Amino acid sequence: MEIQGLQALYAGHKSVKALAKALGDDSVKTVFAEGLCASAAPLLFSSLAVAAPRQMGRPFVFVLDDAEEAGYFYHDLAQVLGDDDVLYFPSSFRRAVKFGQRDAANEILRTEVVSRLAADARPLFVVTYPDAMMEKVVSRKKLAEQTLALHAGERVDITFVEQTLRSFGFSQVDYVYEPGQFAVRGSILDVFSYSSEWPYRVDFFGDEVDSIRTFEVQSQLSKDRQQEVIIVPELAGASQGKVPFTDFLPADTVLVMKDMFYLRDVADKVYADGFSAQALMDEQARSEMEEAEQHEKLRADLWLIDGAALMKGMLDFRRVEIGHKPTAVPQATVRFHLTPQPIFHKNFELVTQSFQDYLAKGYTLYILADSAKQIDRLAAIFQEQGTGIGFTPVDKTLHAGFADDDLKACFFTDHQIFDRFP
């Protein structure tokens, strides 16, 4: 069974339908989804795309408690929905913000998110966490001034495109291998935008864009055909003219989070820590003037917002809270009856007993695994035991399994059964 089958199954869940109804009512600004655990939340929100496609025609921003939790949540959403509409929005700083060490790969991911939001690309799921959420982004005006869009079939002079890329600060090279570069070979333009994981190959026929494809840097082989390309230069390094991320979001964005007060506290701590003395120093000796300029450049208020500003920005949007208790009195509450997958520690007698108990209660068992070998291994164990336990294999896995009392279904993961974590 493909994992999208679980998406369709959950689309019929009574609580998913109730949540879809609440989101369809513009007068309901706050919703509490009670009882969610393990990987139920990503599966729930991915199923809304099937249960209520009209309500999903807007951005959803999931603010998890930290980078690790956000990473697992992103993985689960992408497993069901694919990578095209699920984006990760990390902090642009490596390690903690206070060390001031920028991460080029993370800056690309952040630029991709703001570019997609500015282009009104919907539906869109963005997964983030407090350290990233409180970091300012380029304004829509600045982004529009520094964006070049090319469409297949569009008539445009390749010389104009070259001049525009140079004005954006792109470097012309023989072969592109990192963001901020472009190369021209006859009628072919290769360009590596800061808003994409892959470089683009634009083939011109005269002054018409004939085709656009992504390609592999190492092999130079084309990958996927595209209808358009959004080219954005490096924008994260400039501290001037930045705005809070919440100011950038479309007005109909839905925020999904656990605890708004916790997010505020994390933002306040990161803001108070600011940038450490290590970040403010340079390996080479500085003059007093250079040191003063560096301190001015790394002022926390230029790069970050504090907890109060973050909270104020989030209050402007509709919110779905998925934690243990709501921040305030919600206007609607949707209840789920779930229990997390038991910890088996490779005790297959316990696995067998637990599965038999669930089957006796009329539950359906779904085993999620990325590897068919793990499914075969588990089936062989049950066959050796002579238990006759039957289950439905699912071709992809989630981070953590759970049982749903309303659906009478168990969604268990192979890595938790075999105690084998990535």
Side-chain angles (χ1 to χ4, degrees):
M1 176 182 185
E2 294 184 348
I3 198 168
Q4 287 74 25
L6 301 186
Q7 179 188 22
L9 176 66
Y10 247 77
H13 195 296
K14 64 178 183 179
S15 296
V16 172
K17 291 181 177 179
L19 178 58
K21 182 178 180 181
L23 291 174
D25 185 347
D26 291 338
S27 66
V28 177
K29 300 300 182 183
T30 56
V31 181
F32 178 45
E34 181 182 354
L36 294 176
C37 65
S39 292
L43 188 56
L44 151 67
F45 284 99
S46 67
S47 69
L48 283 175
V50 177
R54 289 185 179 179
Q55 279 78 13
M56 298 306 289
R58 67 187 86 184
F60 276 69
V61 176
F62 302 90
V63 191
L64 284 304
D65 287 349
D66 54 43
E68 181 180 20
E69 191 175 62
Y72 286 129
F73 199 99
Y74 167 80
H75 167 269
D76 289 347
L77 271 181
Q79 286 284 78
V80 183
L81 295 173
D83 297 328
D84 290 342
D85 294 327
V86 182
L87 302 180
Y88 187 57
F89 188 73
S91 168
S92 64
F93 294 99
R94 187 182 296 115
R95 300 164 62 201
V97 171
K98 66 180 179 181
F99 296 115
Q101 298 176 332
R102 307 193 72 82
D103 187 307
N106 284 356
E107 289 180 353
I108 293 173
L109 294 175
R110 289 176 64 87
T111 304
E112 181 180 9
V113 170
V114 296
S115 297
R116 292 280 298 275
L117 287 171
D120 203 28
R122 306 181 183 196
L124 195 64
F125 296 82
V126 178
V127 182
T128 186
Y129 51 96
D131 304 54
M133 188 85 169
M134 65 179 292
E135 191 177 329
K136 292 182 179 180
V137 298
V138 64
S139 68
R140 283 180 175 268
K141 180 176 182 295
K142 180 68 173 177
L143 181 63
E145 293 172 351
Q146 297 285 292
T147 297
L148 173 64
L150 297 175
H151 304 264
E154 176 185 5
R155 302 187 73 85
V156 60
D157 189 348
I158 191 172
T159 303
F160 167 78
V161 176
E162 292 181 57
Q163 293 172 345
T164 302
L165 292 177
R166 290 193 185 94
S167 71
F168 284 176
F170 280 77
S171 302
Q172 185 168 5
V173 295
D174 292 333
Y175 297 97
V176 302
Y177 58 87
E178 65 181 9
Q181 297 178 335
F182 76 95
V184 179
R185 297 184 304 280
S187 63
I188 296 176
L189 167 72
D190 290 348
V191 58
F192 207 148
S193 170
Y194 272 87
S195 62
S196 173
E197 181 182 359
W198 304 100
Y200 293 103
R201 177 160 292 153
V202 185
D203 194 350
F204 287 82
F205 184 75
D207 60 353
E208 180 179 330
V209 177
D210 187 53
S211 66
I212 303 173
R213 294 181 182 273
T214 55
F215 69 93
E216 295 269 5
V217 171
Q218 293 182 338
S219 67
Q220 292 290 304
L221 295 177
S222 297
K223 286 171 54 66
D224 301 320
R225 195 179 187 93
Q226 307 288 323
Q227 284 302 307
E228 69 172 338
V229 54
I230 304 297
I231 304 171
V232 181
E234 197 279 320
L235 298 172
S239 59
Q240 299 298 326
K242 287 184 175 289
V243 299
F245 181 56
T246 50
D247 286 4
F248 198 95
L249 297 175
D252 62 347
T253 298
V254 177
L255 298 181
V256 182
M257 65 192 69
K258 286 186 175 180
D259 186 337
M260 184 180 287
F261 291 129
Y262 175 79
L263 302 180
R264 179 199 62 188
D265 293 344
V266 171
D268 275 336
K269 183 180 186 308
V270 173
Y271 189 87
D273 288 346
F275 294 96
S276 66
Q278 177 183 351
L280 297 172
M281 291 173 61
D282 193 280
E283 294 179 359
Q284 299 178 352
R286 289 178 179 273
S287 66
E288 290 185 6
M289 181 176 294
E290 288 173 329
E291 287 185 0
E293 290 176 353
Q294 179 72 353
H295 279 72
E296 177 67 17
K297 181 181 177 182
L298 289 181
R299 273 173 33 205
D301 63 298
L302 293 179
W303 294 97
L304 311 170
I305 60 173
D306 60 17
L310 178 61
M311 200 164 182
K312 180 180 178 182
M314 291 191 295
L315 289 173
D316 292 335
F317 299 95
R318 302 181 73 183
R319 302 192 314 278
V320 179
E321 298 193 356
I322 57 175
H324 297 297
K325 60 181 180 179
T327 301
V329 179
Q331 292 176 290
T333 297
V334 179
R335 292 180 175 84
F336 292 82
H337 302 93
L338 312 175
T339 54
Q341 177 175 339
I343 300 174
F344 295 117
H345 292 306
K346 293 189 286 190
N347 182 337
F348 291 103
E349 290 184 3
L350 181 61
V351 173
T352 299
Q353 184 60 55
S354 178
F355 281 16
Q356 287 176 330
D357 290 344
Y358 274 117
L359 289 172
K361 296 176 184 177
Y363 283 67
T364 302
L365 298 177
Y366 297 89
I367 307 299
L368 290 75
D370 285 324
S371 170
K373 291 182 179 179
Q374 290 295 91
I375 293 292
D376 294 341
R377 181 183 174 191
L378 190 59
I381 290 172
F382 292 147
Q383 186 175 2
E384 289 174 5
Q385 292 177 340
T387 58
I389 291 176
F391 60 85
T392 301
V394 182
D395 68 344
K396 292 182 180 178
T397 192
L398 299 175
H399 172 57
F402 59 95
D404 190 316
D405 295 337
D406 296 318
L407 288 179
K408 283 196 171 296
C410 300
F411 309 98
F412 287 171
T413 69
D414 69 314
H415 57 262
Q416 287 178 288
I417 294 173
F418 291 104
D419 218 12
R420 179 187 56 82
F421 294 90

